[in-house]
Amino acid sequence: MQQTPRVQLQDRLAKWMPSGAPQRRRPGPEAGGLQHARDLAARHAVFIVLVVMVAIFSGLSPSTFPTVGNWVAMVQSQAILLVLALGVTIPLRSGDFDLSIAATMGFAGAVIGVLTANHGVPTAAGIMIALTVGLVIGALHAVLIVGVGLDAFVTTLGTMTALGGLAFAVTNSFIITGLPDDLLEFSRHKIFRLPLSAFYGWSLAFVLWYVYEHTPVGRFLLFVGGNRDASRLAGLPVKRIRALAFISAAVISSFGGVLLVGTLGAVDPSVGPSFLLAPYAAAFLGATTIQPGRFNVWGTVLALYLIIVGITGLQLLGAQPWVTDLFTGSALVAALLFARFTRARSS
């Protein structure tokens, strides 16, 4: 029976979909059981390390680390980074880099801060304008990278620098205070001792998980990131998918800017660059777990909390503030080494 075009497309995509290790001769029962155990350990390595770290720091700092107040503080401190880390997985999943996420967040935060504090713009309108800023930035990336064909890494590095300068321009290099109370409450309002910003991050995680795992768009992002030429031959709108990824990441980053100014209660134009490394470390470390080899939502969430648990535990033991950058950078390098080791084993 002749297949429909839709079925033919699905069959062709299945052939090009990244599938991990190449097929080998089926091992015996004992070898198969050992390999299954190894694969299971590798798939949940980040979770296992997280549990071990929690146990160690709880034993070393029993009066400070395993307390409700400490856990609330860790979750609250990572709420904005969670939003950025989830947003950056979208272009990464489609095979692109967006280094401007932190700068987009900083510029959008500067815009809403100046509008609401200095010009009396209502909070709702300010949020919409900030999200529109992200939309414009994402569209610019889509035109330059997808349309013109510029390199994503270099282009977003350039826009990152430009947006950092624009954040200083719109604030006149001053820290903006006097933000309206409803903007602060948008991020700070507590539910079960946790701020709304944390719930926004978790909600975004569930939305992206559903998109990645249960919609054609999520699968198409994966196909495009795995093999653009094959995806194009299969009839996928590769340019449209990549453009959508850049726009989505920028809008999510601008929403992070709204949460940032609401959480801080002020606009600091210099704060953006400090938010760049941790989201990428979480995304790459998360790609080594749950669904190894793929940028995925729950791996990213686990990796981000692993990083903050490590940093907080070390600081409670008396480590200096520079341990934050050291631990985050080391986590990123470890993720790359683990990914290379996994690929070498499977080849």
Side-chain angles (χ1 to χ4, degrees), residues 13-319:
L13 289 176
K15 296 178 182 179
W16 287 310
M17 181 177 178
S19 56
Q23 295 294 326
R24 300 178 179 177
R25 183 170 56 88
R26 180 175 297 178
E30 294 184 0
L34 181 60
Q35 183 63 39
H36 177 72
R38 289 175 178 174
D39 292 342
L40 191 64
R43 186 178 296 273
H44 298 92
V46 170
F47 177 74
I48 294 172
V49 173
L50 176 60
V51 172
V52 171
M53 288 175 58
V54 169
I56 292 174
F57 289 130
S58 296
L60 295 176
S61 304
S63 61
T64 53
F65 186 84
T67 62
V68 174
N70 183 49
W71 283 99
V72 169
M74 285 193 292
V75 171
Q76 180 173 339
S77 68
Q78 297 303 289
I80 297 168
L81 286 176
L82 178 58
V83 171
L84 289 181
L86 292 171
V88 82
T89 63
I90 304 176
L92 285 175
R93 198 172 171 94
S94 66
D96 286 305
F97 275 90
D98 186 352
L99 297 180
S100 70
I101 55 163
T104 299
M105 177 196 69
F107 179 58
V111 169
I112 188 174
V114 169
L115 289 177
T116 55
N118 294 352
H119 300 285
V121 174
T123 296
I127 292 175
M128 294 304 299
I129 293 172
L131 295 180
T132 303
V133 167
L135 180 65
V136 172
I137 294 171
L140 176 63
H141 287 155
V143 171
L144 294 177
I145 298 169
V146 181
V148 179
L150 301 183
D151 181 77
F153 191 93
V154 177
T155 302
T156 56
L157 180 63
T159 55
M160 176 189 74
T161 306
L163 290 171
L166 286 174
F168 280 96
V170 299
T171 60
N172 289 322
S173 300
F174 292 119
I175 294 178
I176 306 298
T177 57
L179 301 178
D181 292 338
D182 51 352
L183 178 57
L184 305 183
E185 283 294 303
F186 185 77
S187 298
R188 294 181 178 181
H189 181 74
K190 298 290 183 66
I191 300 177
F192 302 116
R193 298 186 62 177
L194 293 174
L196 278 177
S197 55
F199 290 96
Y200 294 141
W202 294 335
S203 299
L204 177 62
F206 277 102
V207 170
L208 282 183
W209 167 78
Y210 182 83
V211 170
Y212 287 170
E213 304 300 329
H214 298 284
T215 68
V217 173
R219 293 190 292 272
F220 294 166
L221 280 170
L222 191 63
F223 297 145
V224 171
N227 193 322
R228 287 179 189 164
D229 291 334
S231 300
R232 192 176 295 108
L233 291 173
L236 291 183
V238 173
K239 289 187 175 181
R240 191 182 310 167
I241 292 170
R242 293 179 63 202
L244 177 63
F246 280 113
I247 293 172
S248 300
V251 171
I252 291 173
S253 299
S254 64
F255 181 69
V258 175
L259 299 181
L260 177 66
V261 297
T263 300
L264 297 179
V267 177
D268 184 351
S270 67
V271 76
S274 63
F275 284 82
L276 178 61
L277 181 58
Y280 270 97
F284 276 94
L285 186 58
T288 67
T289 190
I290 308 298
Q291 294 178 320
R294 298 180 182 178
F295 295 99
N296 64 90
V297 168
W298 302 123
T300 301
V301 173
L302 282 175
L304 186 67
Y305 287 131
L306 182 148
I307 292 172
I308 188 56
V309 164
I311 292 172
T312 303
L314 291 174
Q315 289 178 341
L316 290 177
L317 292 175

